[in-house]
Amino acid sequence: MDKLRICTWNIKRGQYLPILLNEFATQKVFSGLDIVGIQEAFIHDEIEDAQQIAKRLGPEYKFFQHNIQIKHNLSQGNAFIWNSKKIKIKKTESFLLPDVYGKHLPYLEKMFFKLIPKQDRCCIVAEGQYGKKSIRIYVTHLDVLGYSHKRAQLKAIFTHSADQKPVDLTCIIGDFNTYKIVTRPKWKNLSKDALDAGFQDLTTEIVWTFSRPRVKFKQKLDSIFIKPFNYAYESRSQDIKGSDHIPVFCDINLDKSNP
Protein backbone atom coordinates (compact mmCIF):
# COMPACT_ATOMS: atom_id res chain seq x y z
CA MET A 1 0.00 0.00 0.00
CA ASP A 2 1.25 3.51 -0.78
CA LYS A 3 1.66 6.03 2.00
CA LEU A 4 -1.47 8.01 2.86
CA ARG A 5 -0.56 11.56 1.81
CA ILE A 6 -2.35 14.33 3.72
CA CYS A 7 -2.27 18.12 3.38
CA THR A 8 -3.99 20.85 5.40
CA TRP A 9 -4.04 24.53 4.45
CA ASN A 10 -5.81 27.67 5.64
CA ILE A 11 -6.30 29.62 2.41
CA LYS A 12 -7.22 33.01 3.94
CA ARG A 13 -10.72 33.18 2.49
CA GLY A 14 -9.31 32.69 -1.01
CA GLN A 15 -8.07 36.28 -1.13
CA TYR A 16 -5.31 35.24 -3.52
CA LEU A 17 -7.28 32.49 -5.23
CA PRO A 18 -5.69 32.75 -8.73
CA ILE A 19 -2.21 32.43 -7.21
CA LEU A 20 -3.31 29.61 -4.94
CA LEU A 21 -4.96 27.66 -7.77
CA ASN A 22 -1.84 27.99 -9.87
CA GLU A 23 0.23 26.58 -7.00
CA PHE A 24 -2.10 23.59 -6.67
CA ALA A 25 -1.77 22.95 -10.41
CA THR A 26 2.01 23.38 -10.74
CA GLN A 27 3.74 22.55 -7.43
CA LYS A 28 4.96 18.94 -7.38
CA VAL A 29 4.26 18.66 -3.65
CA PHE A 30 0.51 18.69 -4.38
CA SER A 31 0.74 15.92 -6.99
CA GLY A 32 -0.76 12.63 -5.87
CA LEU A 33 -2.20 13.83 -2.57
CA ASP A 34 -4.84 11.57 -1.06
CA ILE A 35 -6.50 14.05 1.33
CA VAL A 36 -6.61 17.84 1.44
CA GLY A 37 -8.22 19.73 4.32
CA ILE A 38 -9.02 23.39 3.68
CA GLN A 39 -9.88 26.09 6.20
CA GLU A 40 -11.39 29.49 5.37
CA ALA A 41 -12.85 28.21 2.12
CA PHE A 42 -15.13 30.76 0.44
CA ILE A 43 -17.37 30.98 -2.60
CA HIS A 44 -16.04 33.03 -5.52
CA ASP A 45 -18.10 33.72 -8.64
CA GLU A 46 -20.75 31.34 -7.24
CA ILE A 47 -18.21 28.48 -7.21
CA GLU A 48 -16.97 26.93 -3.98
CA ASP A 49 -13.22 27.20 -3.49
CA ALA A 50 -12.97 23.45 -2.84
CA GLN A 51 -14.46 22.75 -6.26
CA GLN A 52 -11.86 24.92 -7.97
CA ILE A 53 -9.01 23.36 -5.99
CA ALA A 54 -10.22 19.82 -6.73
CA LYS A 55 -10.37 20.68 -10.41
CA ARG A 56 -6.72 21.81 -10.37
CA LEU A 57 -5.64 18.62 -8.61
CA GLY A 58 -7.22 16.40 -11.26
CA PRO A 59 -10.43 14.74 -12.44
CA GLU A 60 -10.18 12.00 -9.82
CA TYR A 61 -10.58 14.46 -6.94
CA LYS A 62 -13.93 15.03 -5.23
CA PHE A 63 -14.85 17.60 -2.60
CA PHE A 64 -17.18 18.49 0.23
CA GLN A 65 -17.36 22.08 1.51
CA HIS A 66 -19.42 23.25 4.46
CA ASN A 67 -19.93 27.01 4.78
CA ILE A 68 -20.97 28.37 8.13
CA GLN A 69 -18.96 31.37 9.36
CA ILE A 70 -19.99 34.80 8.17
CA LYS A 71 -17.21 37.34 7.73
CA HIS A 72 -17.36 40.57 5.70
CA ASN A 73 -20.87 39.46 4.58
CA LEU A 74 -19.41 36.33 3.01
CA SER A 75 -19.65 32.72 4.16
CA GLN A 76 -16.56 30.70 4.90
CA GLY A 77 -15.99 27.25 6.24
CA ASN A 78 -14.03 24.05 5.96
CA ALA A 79 -13.56 21.74 3.01
CA PHE A 80 -12.50 18.15 2.48
CA ILE A 81 -10.98 17.05 -0.85
CA TRP A 82 -9.99 13.47 -1.64
CA ASN A 83 -8.54 11.28 -4.38
CA SER A 84 -11.51 9.09 -5.29
CA LYS A 85 -9.30 6.54 -7.08
CA LYS A 86 -7.51 5.69 -3.84
CA ILE A 87 -10.05 6.53 -1.13
CA LYS A 88 -13.65 5.41 -1.02
CA ILE A 89 -15.57 7.93 1.08
CA LYS A 90 -18.83 6.54 2.43
CA LYS A 91 -20.07 9.52 4.44
CA THR A 92 -19.39 13.23 4.86
CA GLU A 93 -21.07 15.47 7.41
CA SER A 94 -20.33 18.34 9.77
CA PHE A 95 -21.15 19.39 13.31
CA LEU A 96 -20.95 22.61 15.30
CA LEU A 97 -18.17 23.20 17.80
CA PRO A 98 -18.91 24.74 21.23
CA ASP A 99 -19.56 28.47 21.00
CA VAL A 100 -18.35 31.21 23.31
CA TYR A 101 -21.50 31.23 25.44
CA GLY A 102 -21.22 27.73 26.83
CA LYS A 103 -20.64 26.71 30.42
CA HIS A 104 -17.17 25.48 29.55
CA LEU A 105 -15.64 28.97 29.77
CA PRO A 106 -14.19 30.64 32.87
CA TYR A 107 -15.75 33.95 33.88
CA LEU A 108 -13.07 36.25 32.41
CA GLU A 109 -13.21 34.57 28.99
CA LYS A 110 -17.01 34.84 28.98
CA MET A 111 -16.84 38.55 29.73
CA PHE A 112 -14.28 39.09 26.98
CA PHE A 113 -16.31 37.25 24.35
CA LYS A 114 -19.34 39.38 25.08
CA LEU A 115 -17.42 42.30 23.58
CA ILE A 116 -16.79 40.72 20.17
CA PRO A 117 -19.11 39.41 17.42
CA LYS A 118 -20.10 35.77 17.65
CA GLN A 119 -18.67 33.38 15.06
CA ASP A 120 -19.87 29.83 14.59
CA ARG A 121 -17.26 27.16 14.01
CA CYS A 122 -17.80 23.72 12.56
CA CYS A 123 -15.91 20.51 11.98
CA ILE A 124 -16.19 18.31 8.90
CA VAL A 125 -15.98 14.56 9.39
CA ALA A 126 -15.54 12.06 6.55
CA GLU A 127 -15.48 8.27 6.78
CA GLY A 128 -14.22 5.81 4.23
CA GLN A 129 -11.76 3.19 3.16
CA TYR A 130 -8.12 3.45 2.07
CA GLY A 131 -7.16 0.05 0.76
CA LYS A 132 -7.96 -2.38 3.54
CA LYS A 133 -7.82 0.32 6.20
CA SER A 134 -10.88 2.14 7.54
CA ILE A 135 -10.30 5.85 8.08
CA ARG A 136 -12.07 8.83 9.64
CA ILE A 137 -10.92 12.38 8.89
CA TYR A 138 -11.84 15.56 10.77
CA VAL A 139 -11.19 18.97 9.20
CA THR A 140 -11.51 21.85 11.62
CA HIS A 141 -10.68 25.49 12.35
CA LEU A 142 -10.74 26.48 16.02
CA ASP A 143 -11.59 29.98 17.19
CA VAL A 144 -8.87 32.62 17.15
CA LEU A 145 -9.22 33.64 20.80
CA GLY A 146 -9.71 31.94 24.14
CA TYR A 147 -7.42 29.34 25.73
CA SER A 148 -10.15 27.39 27.54
CA HIS A 149 -12.50 27.88 24.61
CA LYS A 150 -10.14 26.29 22.09
CA ARG A 151 -9.49 23.46 24.49
CA ALA A 152 -13.25 22.84 24.76
CA GLN A 153 -13.64 22.89 20.98
CA LEU A 154 -10.90 20.33 20.46
CA LYS A 155 -12.33 18.18 23.25
CA ALA A 156 -15.66 18.20 21.40
CA ILE A 157 -13.91 16.56 18.43
CA PHE A 158 -12.27 13.99 20.71
CA THR A 159 -15.67 13.23 22.23
CA HIS A 160 -17.28 12.86 18.81
CA SER A 161 -14.52 10.47 17.78
CA ALA A 162 -14.89 8.39 20.94
CA ASP A 163 -18.63 8.01 20.26
CA GLN A 164 -18.06 6.55 16.78
CA LYS A 165 -17.33 3.03 15.64
CA PRO A 166 -13.56 2.36 15.90
CA VAL A 167 -11.52 2.68 12.69
CA ASP A 168 -7.95 1.82 11.75
CA LEU A 169 -6.91 5.47 11.51
CA THR A 170 -8.47 8.71 12.73
CA CYS A 171 -6.97 12.06 11.65
CA ILE A 172 -7.78 15.55 12.92
CA ILE A 173 -6.33 18.17 10.61
CA GLY A 174 -6.67 21.92 10.48
CA ASP A 175 -5.91 25.33 11.91
CA PHE A 176 -5.89 25.20 15.71
CA ASN A 177 -4.96 28.86 16.21
CA THR A 178 -2.37 28.05 18.87
CA TYR A 179 -1.00 31.59 19.03
CA LYS A 180 1.77 32.48 21.46
CA ILE A 181 3.19 35.70 22.81
CA VAL A 182 6.90 34.91 22.92
CA THR A 183 6.60 31.42 24.47
CA ARG A 184 3.20 31.66 26.20
CA PRO A 185 0.91 29.85 26.37
CA LYS A 186 2.71 26.55 25.86
CA TRP A 187 -0.55 24.71 25.06
CA LYS A 188 0.47 21.83 27.31
CA ASN A 189 -3.15 21.13 28.29
CA LEU A 190 -4.12 20.87 24.63
CA SER A 191 -1.37 18.30 24.08
CA LYS A 192 -2.37 16.44 27.25
CA ASP A 193 -6.02 16.35 26.18
CA ALA A 194 -4.94 14.88 22.84
CA LEU A 195 -2.80 12.18 24.45
CA ASP A 196 -5.58 11.35 26.92
CA ALA A 197 -7.91 10.85 23.94
CA GLY A 198 -5.33 8.64 22.18
CA PHE A 199 -4.15 11.25 19.65
CA GLN A 200 -0.73 12.63 18.90
CA ASP A 201 0.36 15.68 16.91
CA LEU A 202 2.63 14.58 14.05
CA THR A 203 3.75 18.11 13.22
CA THR A 204 5.52 19.27 16.40
CA GLU A 205 8.87 19.63 14.61
CA ILE A 206 7.44 22.14 12.14
CA VAL A 207 8.57 25.60 13.26
CA TRP A 208 5.91 27.86 11.70
CA THR A 209 2.85 27.76 9.45
CA PHE A 210 1.58 31.36 9.65
CA SER A 211 3.43 34.60 9.04
CA ARG A 212 3.16 38.37 8.87
CA PRO A 213 6.35 39.23 6.96
CA ARG A 214 6.07 42.99 7.44
CA VAL A 215 6.37 42.64 11.21
CA LYS A 216 8.54 39.49 11.15
CA PHE A 217 5.84 37.53 12.94
CA LYS A 218 5.64 33.74 12.59
CA GLN A 219 3.51 31.20 14.45
CA LYS A 220 2.84 27.45 14.37
CA LEU A 221 -0.97 27.24 14.10
CA ASP A 222 -1.69 24.23 11.89
CA SER A 223 -1.41 20.58 12.88
CA ILE A 224 -2.21 16.98 12.01
CA PHE A 225 -3.25 14.62 14.84
CA ILE A 226 -3.68 10.88 14.39
CA LYS A 227 -5.00 7.94 16.41
CA PRO A 228 -3.49 5.43 16.93
CA PHE A 229 -0.03 6.96 16.60
CA ASN A 230 2.03 3.83 16.07
CA TYR A 231 2.32 4.29 12.30
CA ALA A 232 5.54 5.42 10.65
CA TYR A 233 5.18 8.93 9.23
CA GLU A 234 6.96 11.95 7.81
CA SER A 235 5.63 15.51 8.21
CA ARG A 236 6.79 18.80 6.72
CA SER A 237 5.64 22.22 5.59
CA GLN A 238 6.51 24.21 2.50
CA ASP A 239 6.60 27.95 1.94
CA ILE A 240 4.10 28.25 -0.92
CA LYS A 241 2.31 31.39 -2.11
CA GLY A 242 -1.43 31.87 -1.85
CA SER A 243 -2.20 32.61 1.80
CA ASP A 244 -0.84 33.97 5.07
CA HIS A 245 -0.57 30.30 6.10
CA ILE A 246 1.60 27.70 4.41
CA PRO A 247 0.44 24.13 3.76
CA VAL A 248 1.34 21.30 6.12
CA PHE A 249 1.93 17.79 4.78
CA CYS A 250 2.15 14.36 6.36
CA ASP A 251 2.77 10.97 4.76
CA ILE A 252 1.57 8.06 6.89
CA ASN A 253 2.66 4.49 6.19
CA LEU A 254 -0.27 2.35 7.31
CA ASP A 255 1.72 -0.85 6.65
CA LYS A 256 4.61 0.06 8.92
CA SER A 257 4.64 0.73 12.65
CA ASN A 258 7.09 2.89 14.54
CA PRO A 259 9.58 0.90 16.63
Side-chain angles (χ1 to χ4, degrees):
M1 183 188 296
D2 294 334
K3 295 178 181 177
L4 180 67
R5 301 188 59 222
I6 299 173
C7 170
T8 182
W9 197 1
N10 181 321
I11 62 171
K12 197 182 180 183
R13 305 186 299 279
Q15 287 185 6
Y16 310 105
L17 190 62
I19 296 173
L20 183 140
L21 293 176
N22 181 67
E23 298 292 83
F24 269 110
T26 60
Q27 290 280 358
K28 289 184 179 180
V29 71
F30 292 118
S31 177
L33 285 172
D34 299 309
I35 291 169
V36 181
I38 298 292
Q39 300 83 48
E40 293 196 25
F42 263 43
I43 299 173
H44 292 89
D45 298 325
E46 299 184 357
I47 303 173
E48 291 181 328
D49 290 348
Q51 180 178 346
Q52 298 201 58
I53 293 169
K55 183 178 180 180
R56 295 310 188 282
L57 290 171
E60 66 272 28
Y61 287 88
K62 296 184 178 181
F63 70 94
F64 172 74
Q65 179 169 326
H66 182 77
N67 308 302
I68 185 168
Q69 301 160 237
I70 303 297
K71 193 165 186 176
H72 306 309
N73 295 318
L74 295 170
S75 65
Q76 69 175 19
N78 301 314
F80 174 71
I81 301 168
W82 70 96
N83 186 335
S84 63
K85 284 189 175 181
K86 297 177 68 176
I87 298 176
K88 306 302 179 185
I89 294 298
K90 301 175 182 178
K91 181 172 68 173
T92 55
E93 59 185 9
S94 66
F95 59 92
L96 284 173
L97 297 179
D99 61 30
V100 297
Y101 301 104
K103 296 180 180 179
H104 61 280
L105 291 184
Y107 178 78
L108 289 179
E109 278 193 37
K110 280 186 178 181
M111 293 301 100
F112 172 77
F113 280 119
K114 285 184 177 181
L115 302 176
I116 62 176
K118 178 185 175 182
Q119 265 197 356
D120 289 325
R121 298 274 175 168
C122 75
C123 181
I124 285 176
V125 55
E127 295 183 10
Q129 201 77 18
Y130 176 72
K132 295 182 180 180
K133 301 286 187 178
S134 55
I135 61 174
R136 182 175 295 116
I137 310 294
Y138 293 87
V139 182
T140 194
H141 185 190
L142 304 189
D143 259 314
V144 176
L145 302 171
Y147 184 92
S148 299
H149 180 47
K150 276 180 272 200
R151 189 179 177 192
Q153 288 185 324
L154 188 54
K155 276 188 172 182
I157 301 174
F158 296 149
T159 299
H160 185 280
S161 173
D163 290 340
Q164 308 305 305
K165 180 181 177 181
V167 293
D168 294 313
L169 178 72
T170 301
C171 299
I172 305 174
I173 64 178
D175 178 359
F176 296 87
N177 273 320
T178 45
Y179 283 100
K180 294 181 179 181
I181 299 175
V182 189
T183 60
R184 301 285 180 177
K186 292 186 178 294
W187 299 105
K188 287 185 177 180
N189 284 331
L190 218 62
S191 299
K192 182 181 181 300
D193 292 341
L195 289 173
D196 288 346
F199 286 87
Q200 181 170 325
D201 184 359
L202 304 187
T203 64
T204 54
E205 295 181 359
I206 294 174
V207 176
W208 67 276
T209 62
F210 168 84
S211 69
R212 285 280 190 263
R214 290 183 180 179
V215 293
K216 297 182 179 180
F217 178 78
K218 291 185 176 181
Q219 294 275 304
K220 164 69 163 58
L221 305 183
D222 307 87
S223 298
I224 295 173
F225 290 83
I226 70 166
K227 175 185 178 180
F229 46 85
N230 59 333
Y231 295 114
Y233 70 91
E234 179 183 357
S235 61
R236 63 201 179 280
S237 60
Q238 188 163 326
D239 194 353
I240 292 176
K241 298 177 182 178
S243 175
D244 52 359
H245 290 246
I246 59 175
V248 172
F249 302 89
C250 190
D251 299 341
I252 304 172
N253 191 334
L254 297 181
D255 288 334
K256 186 176 180 181
S257 297
N258 278 321

